[in-house]
Amino acid sequence: EEAAPGRRGERERSEEGLAERGPGAAFHMFVLMEDLLDKLKLLSYEEEALRRHNMRPLSRHYFALPTNPGEQFFMFCTLAAWLITKAGRPFEQPQEYDDPNAVISNVLSELRSF
């Protein structure tokens, strides 16, 4: 199989970068996700954020593995809106079919104002 021009070099550089950081670097995202989940649990995200939107709790590797990008994006936006509100700022909960670029722009704008 012939890779698209430029893509092969990107993949090789990525693999070299992982090798330079050590054998555990490929699993770092899983550790980060578990830490994130622990912190969300301390903030009672299941009761305060998920039940309100009738959503299932996150698995230990929910954001570490790309399974359903649309669902994962909506979950990220829901959690981001909840966290911004929890921090004391009013923030409108994004809807599932809102423009992703507009939602991210609003989240980033609010975070910059912190």
Side-chain angles (χ1 to χ4, degrees):
E1 274 180 290
E2 186 64 32
R7 301 290 261 153
R8 183 175 182 189
E10 290 173 15
R11 186 181 72 235
E12 288 172 354
R13 280 192 301 275
S14 175
E15 289 171 357
E16 287 172 5
L18 286 175
E20 288 174 9
R21 292 183 287 180
F27 300 100
H28 185 67
M29 70 183 104
F30 296 100
V31 173
L32 289 176
M33 181 60 209
E34 288 185 26
D35 288 345
L36 170 67
L37 191 56
D38 288 342
K39 291 173 184 177
L40 288 172
K41 285 181 180 179
L42 288 172
L43 293 171
S44 304
Y45 90 105
E46 292 168 323
E47 294 82 23
E48 294 182 24
L50 298 184
R51 284 197 184 137
R52 183 178 304 150
H53 301 288
N54 198 26
M55 300 172 110
R56 292 177 289 136
L58 300 177
S59 69
R60 292 180 330 149
H61 304 126
Y62 186 78
F63 290 117
L65 300 171
T67 54
N68 183 341
E71 177 185 302
Q72 288 171 311
F73 179 76
F74 181 64
M75 178 63 79
F76 169 78
C77 293
T78 298
L79 291 173
W82 173 70
L83 287 168
I84 291 168
T85 303
K86 190 146 181 87
R89 301 282 182 108
F91 193 82
E92 187 176 327
Q93 173 64 41
Q95 301 302 308
E96 192 168 1
Y97 298 106
D98 287 351
D99 176 33
N101 293 319
V103 172
I104 289 297
S105 178
N106 291 340
V107 168
L108 290 174
S109 175
E110 193 63 40
L111 293 176
R112 284 185 194 107
S113 70
F114 276 102

